[in-house]
Amino acid sequence: MLRLTPTAKLVINYMAIRHLVDGATYVTFKELVERLGISERRLRALMQELRQAGLVEAYINPSRGRAILYRLAFNNFNFDSPIVEPGLYYIDLPPNVKIPGDLTLRSFSIIRASKLLLYTPVFANRKRLFTLTKCTCTIKPYSEEALAEARAVADPKAWPPWFLAQK
């Protein structure tokens, strides 16, 4: 089993989020250096390791001289992002969270699989940012009515006993 360093995981996760959120197929070496704060020397060695491991592919972009474009080799590895089962989920986001930048891959998976997303007053002026997760769900402010709708959307058989007792 391949073990990745924290820096390698950072690069892989950044590339995955750029692909999933922004639709970017490729990233440049310059972008990785600027956005991740990794030294050029360390990043060159790291990209070579990731290419040899089959996790990253490199292409030369003829329209940009000798610029090399990097993309994830999705066929060769499996993200630790879980398959989201239908149900009712609670994602606790601190008020200062940057959406979508600070969301984990699990949070992305949950939001993208959702039919209904409720937000609290803290996020009222930032609700449009949830659309950056490519969520196709209905986005509503948290209220008793919206919570009742969320309960109806969720599969009652999957609710934990303590949740059913609150009804």
Side-chain angles (χ1 to χ4, degrees):
M1 180 175 165
L2 180 65
R3 297 188 67 91
L4 297 176
T5 64
T7 308
K9 289 178 184 177
L10 174 68
V11 170
I12 294 291
N13 283 328
Y14 175 81
M15 291 175 70
I17 289 172
R18 284 278 288 135
H19 178 74
L20 295 170
V21 175
D22 301 330
T25 306
Y26 301 97
V27 296
T28 63
F29 186 83
K30 182 180 177 183
E31 175 185 351
L32 292 171
V33 168
E34 290 173 358
R35 295 299 206 124
L36 301 178
I38 301 170
S39 72
E40 288 186 24
R41 182 178 181 165
R42 174 67 183 125
L43 187 60
R44 273 194 189 85
L46 183 63
M47 295 308 283
Q48 184 63 27
E49 289 172 27
L50 292 173
R51 286 176 63 196
Q52 287 175 348
L55 300 177
V56 172
E57 298 171 338
Y59 298 89
I60 294 178
N61 182 355
S63 67
R64 298 177 79 191
R66 296 182 58 200
I68 298 176
L69 302 175
Y70 296 95
R71 76 174 183 188
L72 295 175
F74 288 106
N75 298 340
N76 296 338
F77 64 94
N78 185 2
F79 284 110
D80 289 335
S81 61
I83 296 174
V84 178
E85 297 292 329
L88 189 59
Y89 289 89
Y90 171 78
I91 302 173
D92 185 20
L93 301 175
N96 61 346
V97 71
K98 292 179 184 75
I99 302 169
D102 289 342
L103 297 178
T104 64
L105 289 177
R106 180 166 177 78
S107 296
F108 274 112
S109 298
I110 291 169
I111 291 171
R112 292 185 79 179
S114 296
K115 292 182 182 176
L116 176 63
L117 176 67
L118 305 181
Y119 61 89
T120 59
V122 173
F123 290 98
N125 63 343
R126 299 168 58 204
K127 68 180 179 184
R128 67 173 182 76
L129 295 175
F130 283 108
T131 60
L132 295 176
T133 62
K134 306 288 189 215
C135 167
T136 59
C137 58
T138 304
I139 302 174
K140 293 185 174 185
Y142 180 88
S143 67
E144 286 301 319
E145 297 81 26
L147 186 57
E149 184 179 343
R151 287 179 177 145
V153 168
D155 179 11
K157 295 174 195 156
W159 292 352
W162 62 265
F163 192 83
L164 291 172
Q166 294 180 5
K167 285 174 91 177

